[in-house]
Structures are given as C-alpha cells and as structure tokens.
Amino acid sequence: MNVENTKAQMRKGVLELCILSILSRADAYTTDLINKLKEAQMIVVEGTLYPLLTRQKNAGLLSYRWEESPQGPPRKYYTLTPKGREYLNELESGWETLIETVNKIRKQA
Amino acid sequence: MKKSIKVSLGGMAFNIEEDAYAVLEDYIESLKNHLGDTPEAAEVVADIEERASELFAEQLGGRQTITIEMVNDVIKTLGRPEQIANEDDAEQTSSFESDSERSTTRRRFYRDSENAIIAGVASGLGQYFGIEPLVFRILFAVLLFANGLGAIIYAVMWIAVPRAETTRQRMEMKGEDINFSNLEKNLQEEINKVKQNMEKRNLSGFFERVFSAFGKIFIAIGKVLGGIVKVMAVIFAVAFISIGLILLLLTTISLFFGGVIVSIIPSYSGITISELIGTTFDIGSTLWVTIPVYFVIAIPLIAIVFVGLRMIFRFKMRDSVAFVTGATAWILAVTILAFVLFFQARSFSIRETVKDVLVLKMPNDTINTLRFTADIDQLEQFENGQRMLFLDEFIVDYSLGEQAIMGKPKIYIGKSTSDSYEIVLEKKSRGATKQLARRSADGISLPYKFYDNNLQVNPYFILKRGDKWRAQDIEVTLKVPEGKRVYIHSSLEPYLSSDQDYCLCWPDEMVNRLWLMKGERLVEVK
C-alpha cells in the first residue's frame, strides 16, 4: 500500500467530473483545461488527460471545434453537449451524496 | 556542433537536434505501442503531439533548435507512455513518480555508413570504442598482409553487423557506455520489481524489511561480482578472439601457404602439408583433403571468435541462421573428408611382395671373402636438410624440385644354396588391388655397387618417381655360400635387422667383424 497511489486513485475518480464542470462554465481548449487542473493539483502528468478527453468525446459528452489561434496552428476547443450536461448533473449529485456519506462515516468513526 | 533536423510537429515546424529527435521519435513510437492500434489512440497521439509542439514553442522562446534536454523536459510534463496508457485502461498500477531516466540508450555495435570508406566497419568500431576509426583502418590494412586475414574479418563483419540506418540505431551506435553504474541501475530495477511484487501479495512489513536489507547486501555483492564478471568476460572474450584468430591464421598458413604446423614434426625442414598429403593421396589435387580439413578445423575456430566478438560487442544477428550455416558446412566438410579417406584407405588393402634374386659373380673363384658396406656417402646429400622431411623410416625429399620418397632397407644375412654369393631383394607394397600393389612393389629400387669383392648398397631405397607412399618396404638378404666369408662394415649397423636367422647377435655385435658361414650358423673368424 502506498498513500500516494491511493490519493492518485481518488483524484482519478473525480477527474471526469472536474473536466465536465470546467467546461460547463465556458468552452476551453486543452491547454486551458490542463493549466486549471494542474493548478488544482488534479493531474501530475499532462498526457493522462488526453485519453480521457477522447473517451468523453466519443461517448458524446463533449464535442470540439477548431478555432484559429493568434499564433501557431488552430486549436481544439471543447464544448459540453446537452448529453454531457446531463451526465455532469448526475455526477455532481453523486459527488454530493458521496461527500455526505463519507463525512457521516468519518464522524461516526 | 550537432546535426539538426527539420520536423513538423502538431502543425508547427521545428529544428531539432539529431539525438533529441531520436528520443522524441522513440517516445512517440512507444506511446503508439502502449495505446494500441485504434482510431481513438491515433487521436490521443495527435493531441499529445500538438501539446508537445506547444510546450516546445514555449520552451524555445527566442532560440532556434530543440535540444535533448528540452525533449526530456517535455516528456516529463506529458508523462511516460505507460502512465498515459494506464490512465486509459482506467486502472492504476505502477507509480506516478516513475522516472524518465530511460531515454538514455545502450550502446550497440553498428556499421557507420556515414563515415565509411568501404562499408563502415572500421568507423563503426571506432564509434563503439570511442576511438579514432583510423586505428581500426590501419589494423585492417596490416592484417590484410597476413594472408588477407584483414579482408576476411572485414567481410565477416560486413555481413554480420547491421548498418545503422534509423536515427535510433545511430543513437545506439554512440550510446551510453556500459559501466558499473549501469549494472547497478539494472540490479536496482530488478530489486524494485521484486519488491513491488511482494507488495502486491501483501507480504509487506517484516518480510519487506528483511528483503530490503538482503537487497542492499545483494546490490553490494552484485556490484563487486558484476565488476569481476565483467572483467572476466572481457578477458575471456579477448582470449577467445585472439586464440581463435591465431589458430585460424596458423591453420590457413599451414594448409595453404607454408608449413607452420608441420614444423612441429621433428626434423622438419620446409615441406608443406599439401606436399606431405601428396605423398600418399592419389587424388588429382590435395585441395580435396586440405579444404575439408580446413573447414573442419576453421568452423569451430570461427565460432569461438564469433562468441568472443558477441561477448564484447553484443551486435544483433540471427544466431540460428549463422549456426545452421556453420553446422551444415562443417558436416559437409566432415563427410567429404570421410569419403576421401575411405577411398584412400582402400589403396592399402592388399599387400604384395616381389622377389628379385641377383647372383654376385666374383672375378675369380679363389676369392672367398666379401666386403659388405653401405654407401653412406649417399647420405651426405641429406645433410643440409633443405625441403626434406624425415618421418620414421621414410624420407620425403623435395630438394631436387620434385618429390622423392625414400625408405630405410632392412638387411639380413642368409645362406646361399649355391656356390655363389647372392642378394635377394624382397620388395613389399600395399595397393588397392594385387596388380597395383605389385606394380608399386616393382617401383622400389635399391641401388648397389659390386666390384672386386666389394658389395656396396645404398643406405636407402627409392620409390619410382610419381609413385605414392603405400607402406613400401624392402628386405635385403645377402646369401653367403657354405664355407665362404663375409666382412660386415660398420656403416651397415643402422640397417641390419636385429632378428637374424644365422646369428644370435645384435647389429652392433655383427659389424666390423669377419664371419664364416658354417652349417646353420655364422661363425666369427678371429
């Protein structure tokens, strides 16, 4: 057992929720997402985000469009789809319940 | 100065140093391997490439060229392929803090065709050892004069060693030295792996502590042993290579050029193995023997050299192909040799004897003593010993420019049935058939001189020119009539048989004496 591992596991479980909720406020391109998640110490290495984004996009939770950038090539801008919004709502309520339950257990113990 | 390459990454153009490019290429290749072969994976790789290009653009600032440090940095930010792939599998196993150290490459032996003069063997060697290729070029050139050995080694390496084609291979060619810290790193990795396995099986706590204590001891021992093993391996490898090459050289020279091996035979004086084989084998060319013999000896030697080279260089090669080729050639050579020897052995199967009787007519009947001597002046021609080989009872002589085979006669004293002295020559030879054996026996001649009452025989018999050695032999019997005498000169001592019918005495007791034939015995006359 390794405490860092467990922490990483915990972060990973809610990473999807974090991505969706960042996108629920505004469309973002990948680097924005990365910067926000890194700031919040949700991810350690950037590469891990990409498979997740692709999976969410393929599941129809996200869609993207190409937008010209001031410098360099066009960028991928991700948007939440209606289905993604629904999914996010469910995850959020799930998250609230989880916190409540966990806290309850912790206080009892 | 480093070579740089122009690449397009995520829609942007970059200048990247060659080694940095190799690492990046390796990373992306590995990423593809880890993620699998799905459209989804391709998309992820494209996204990551794009992000990498962004990070490079950031890092470059005003600079022109991407360096290897930048690449390692970016890889650290993006994460190792196994971390990314694990995320994708949605199952967490190995550590987040796995280091990105592995971008260094092990050094391998390749041909360096970019700096090549012929095929890049010497410059490849130079790259491998970090020495000027010129050293190896000179070495090859010098070995070229050792009967072309340099060319042979060069050709073998040309075939066996792959050319560094991809950037990755070029990296490996110049890669990291193999040293103690490497060895230690490998050991440490092994131990970490075992540790992780134990953790998985919940054998933590006590066992883990015991294990890590042992592990440390093992690492320490391993370091020492590793060093020793490494040094031993190099010593062995160098020994293999040098012994193999020396024997190979000796074999080559002995069989085809000179007589190094024959010189081990006592009283050697410059006859080659081919000439020696030519005395016995009646096939058209002695190459039928020397080439198979050469392969039978050389193939294992080449294998030894090869093993030695492998121990030092670890170049890539399809071993099975090399092994099968070598083994096939060896078996073929043994088979050819067996056939040649089998057919040759047949020419020794039959033994025949030809008997010549010569009556020695004395100038007048009153002479009753014969002086018997060996014409040892004839032996003088052998004294310089040039191009001549003394084998047991035989002499092979090339001093006159062509092959002459000579042998030692065996001399007996017998009793004549008539009133005259006689010499009986029993000439013996082997052959494949009766006729051949008889013809070969006929070819034996023993020159002699007979004048007044002197009989002087040659100290050696001679085979007819062109006759092969067939274990020829000659028995000379001097027949003395009853009541007549013979004086045996000391020059005959080496040729007298010690098994005389008419005298129970040794050769040294017979010489320098006068003998009388009386009844069934030779009696000494005082």
Side-chain angles (χ1 to χ4, degrees):
Chain A
M1 292 300 276
N2 180 323
V3 72
E4 279 308 314
N5 253 351
T6 314
K7 276 189 190 169
Q9 294 273 30
M10 281 158 69
R11 277 199 300 267
K12 227 180 105 179
V14 291
L15 190 57
E16 275 191 66
L17 169 58
C18 295
I19 294 170
L20 293 178
S21 85
I22 291 168
L23 288 176
S24 71
R25 267 172 275 134
D27 293 355
Y29 86 109
T30 334
T31 307
D32 286 339
L33 277 171
I34 284 169
N35 290 340
K36 280 185 179 137
L37 290 170
K38 267 189 147 175
E39 218 173 286
Q41 293 190 327
M42 279 300 296
I43 55 170
V44 177
V45 292
E46 297 182 4
T48 52
L49 192 67
Y50 293 95
L52 204 53
L53 280 174
T54 308
R55 225 177 23 243
Q56 287 185 330
K57 185 208 68 181
N58 286 347
L61 308 181
L62 306 176
S63 69
Y64 67 81
R65 61 177 191 278
W66 291 99
E67 238 174 57
E68 290 300 323
S69 77
Q71 78 264 25
R75 294 162 165 178
K76 248 182 191 177
Y77 266 81
Y78 282 95
T79 320
L80 210 57
T81 59
K83 192 178 170 193
R85 202 163 287 281
E86 237 170 75
Y87 192 84
L88 173 63
N89 287 338
E90 263 178 55
L91 280 185
E92 276 177 335
S93 66
W95 174 243
E96 299 292 343
T97 328
L98 185 67
I99 292 175
E100 255 172 57
T101 330
V102 172
N103 280 340
K104 207 186 273 171
I105 290 170
R106 286 173 62 224
K107 271 165 202 156
Q108 276 169 2
Chain B
M1 195 189 79
K2 273 182 170 177
K3 198 175 166 188
S4 74
I5 304 170
K6 222 177 170 84
V7 291
S8 156
L9 185 70
M12 287 203 259
F14 292 100
N15 283 318
I16 181 165
E17 283 176 359
E18 202 182 19
D19 51 355
Y21 174 70
V23 173
L24 185 62
E25 192 189 28
D26 194 26
Y27 174 68
I28 288 170
E29 248 344 279
S30 155
L31 206 56
K32 282 178 186 163
N33 288 341
H34 273 86
L35 291 172
D37 194 20
T38 60
E40 198 174 298
E43 202 175 338
V44 172
V45 172
D47 283 347
I48 289 177
E49 279 185 13
E50 215 167 287
R51 175 63 181 157
S53 77
E54 237 173 45
L55 289 170
F56 281 132
E58 248 169 58
Q59 278 194 328
L60 278 170
R63 279 171 294 174
Q64 290 293 312
T65 313
I66 299 172
T67 62
I68 194 158
E69 290 80 24
M70 294 184 189
V71 172
N72 283 334
D73 236 38
V74 165
I75 290 173
K76 207 169 198 165
T77 312
L78 290 172
R80 299 293 315 160
E82 50 273 20
Q83 289 172 284
I84 296 169
N86 279 341
E87 197 71 26
D88 198 28
D89 290 343
E91 75 180 38
Q92 180 79 15
T93 47
S94 68
S95 53
F96 258 70
E97 58 275 64
S98 139
D99 58 351
S100 60
E101 271 311 306
R102 311 179 92 184
S103 52
T104 46
T105 42
R106 281 283 189 88
R107 191 179 292 189
R108 283 178 177 281
F109 181 29
Y110 287 100
R111 285 186 291 118
D112 177 12
S113 51
E114 268 181 25
N115 303 307
I117 288 182
I118 302 172
V121 172
S123 46
L125 281 167
Q127 293 280 12
Y128 188 82
F129 288 110
I131 308 173
E132 262 301 302
L134 188 65
V135 176
F136 293 100
R137 292 200 174 113
I138 292 171
L139 209 65
F140 275 122
V142 169
L143 284 175
L144 201 59
F145 291 102
N147 290 310
L149 188 68
I152 295 168
I153 297 172
Y154 195 95
V156 168
M157 286 181 137
W158 188 346
I159 295 163
V161 179
R163 192 160 60 93
E165 282 173 60
T166 65
T167 320
R168 167 104 201 133
Q169 286 169 335
R170 296 196 60 77
M171 282 285 296
E172 285 181 338
M173 185 170 72
K174 303 169 191 173
E176 180 188 19
D177 281 328
I178 294 86
N179 54 26
F180 295 108
S181 66
N182 257 344
L183 201 76
E184 192 189 349
K185 204 167 79 192
N186 291 346
L187 256 173
Q188 191 76 59
E189 269 171 22
E190 278 304 306
I191 285 173
N192 283 343
K193 230 182 263 168
V194 177
K195 211 160 147 186
Q196 277 170 13
N197 287 343
M198 291 190 77
E199 276 168 19
K200 257 191 221 159
R201 293 192 193 108
N202 294 324
L203 288 168
S204 44
F206 174 71
F207 281 115
E208 197 183 314
R209 255 174 285 136
V210 169
F211 182 78
S212 66
F214 270 120
K216 273 171 201 153
I217 295 168
F218 275 131
I219 287 177
I221 296 171
K223 245 192 270 185
V224 175
L225 281 183
I228 296 170
V229 167
K230 205 89 204 168
V231 171
M232 295 281 278
V234 170
I235 292 172
F236 270 117
V238 169
F240 276 8
I241 294 171
S242 39
I243 292 172
L245 284 181
I246 288 168
L247 290 181
L248 208 55
L249 190 67
L250 284 183
T251 317
T252 313
I253 295 172
S254 297
L255 286 179
F256 298 116
F257 302 101
V260 176
I261 297 293
V262 225
S263 64
I264 295 165
I265 299 168
S267 60
Y268 156 80
S269 48
I271 285 176
T272 65
I273 284 184
S274 297
E275 286 168 335
L276 206 55
I277 291 169
T279 63
T280 305
F281 284 81
D282 40 16
I283 32 183
S285 164
T286 56
L287 290 179
W288 279 102
V289 182
T290 46
I291 289 178
V293 167
Y294 184 69
F295 275 102
V296 169
I297 298 170
I299 287 171
L301 291 178
I302 290 171
I304 287 173
V305 173
F306 183 73
V307 167
L309 287 174
R310 275 300 282 269
M311 283 167 83
I312 297 185
F313 296 130
R314 295 183 319 280
F315 49 82
K316 286 178 183 166
M317 197 190 157
R318 280 172 299 173
D319 288 328
S320 53
V321 176
F323 180 78
V324 170
T325 315
T328 313
W330 195 81
I331 289 166
L332 194 68
V334 169
T335 314
I336 292 173
L337 199 60
F339 267 106
V340 171
L341 291 179
F342 172 73
F343 285 113
Q344 198 55 55
R346 287 182 56 229
S347 57
F348 283 87
S349 53
I350 301 216
R351 189 170 183 93
E352 274 292 298
T353 305
V354 175
K355 203 164 169 179
D356 290 351
V357 181
L358 300 139
V359 178
L360 302 172
K361 277 256 180 275
M362 291 293 182
N364 66 65
D365 291 341
T366 56
I367 296 174
N368 59 3
T369 304
L370 183 82
R371 269 180 64 85
F372 191 20
T373 57
D375 187 5
I376 48 170
D377 289 350
Q378 295 290 330
L379 288 171
E380 263 173 30
Q381 58 165 306
F382 300 136
E383 260 160 30
N384 68 353
Q386 284 298 306
R387 305 266 298 136
M388 207 172 272
L389 186 68
F390 298 87
L391 277 174
D392 195 18
E393 308 268 272
F394 286 88
I395 303 165
V396 182
D397 177 19
Y398 276 87
S399 57
L400 299 173
E402 59 185 343
Q403 173 186 298
I405 303 173
M406 290 161 282
K408 206 166 137 187
K410 226 183 264 171
I411 295 177
Y412 296 86
I413 309 293
K415 185 172 182 176
S416 173
T417 47
S418 68
D419 286 347
S420 314
Y421 291 93
E422 288 170 5
I423 331 181
V424 179
L425 302 175
E426 273 178 71
K427 304 191 278 192
K428 296 171 183 176
S429 178
R430 293 189 169 272
T433 62
K434 255 180 170 3
Q435 287 78 7
L436 285 174
R438 181 163 296 164
R439 192 186 299 163
S440 161
D442 264 332
I444 305 171
S445 64
L446 182 75
Y448 68 94
K449 284 178 206 149
F450 177 59
Y451 56 93
D452 301 334
N453 62 341
N454 285 294
L455 175 66
Q456 201 174 37
V457 294
N458 224 42
Y460 50 85
F461 64 84
I462 305 167
L463 302 190
K464 200 168 77 196
R465 186 186 305 159
D467 271 10
K468 303 283 179 182
W469 180 76
R470 291 289 176 270
Q472 287 96 335
D473 199 3
I474 192 165
E475 286 179 10
V476 182
T477 312
L478 173 70
K479 296 203 161 178
V480 182
E482 173 72 25
K484 301 231 168 167
R485 296 189 290 189
V486 61
Y487 176 78
I488 300 173
H489 189 257
S490 60
S491 58
L492 283 170
E493 188 184 327
Y495 310 102
L496 283 168
S497 165
S498 50
D499 181 28
Q500 299 286 346
D501 286 341
Y502 289 86
C503 178
L504 267 172
C505 44
W506 295 103
D508 62 310
E509 297 166 321
M510 290 180 80
V511 295
N512 276 333
R513 286 184 177 140
L514 187 63
W515 299 88
L516 172 72
M517 182 57 76
K518 194 178 178 193
E520 295 301 302
R521 304 214 65 74
L522 274 175
V523 189
E524 198 189 339
V525 183
K526 302 270 173 169

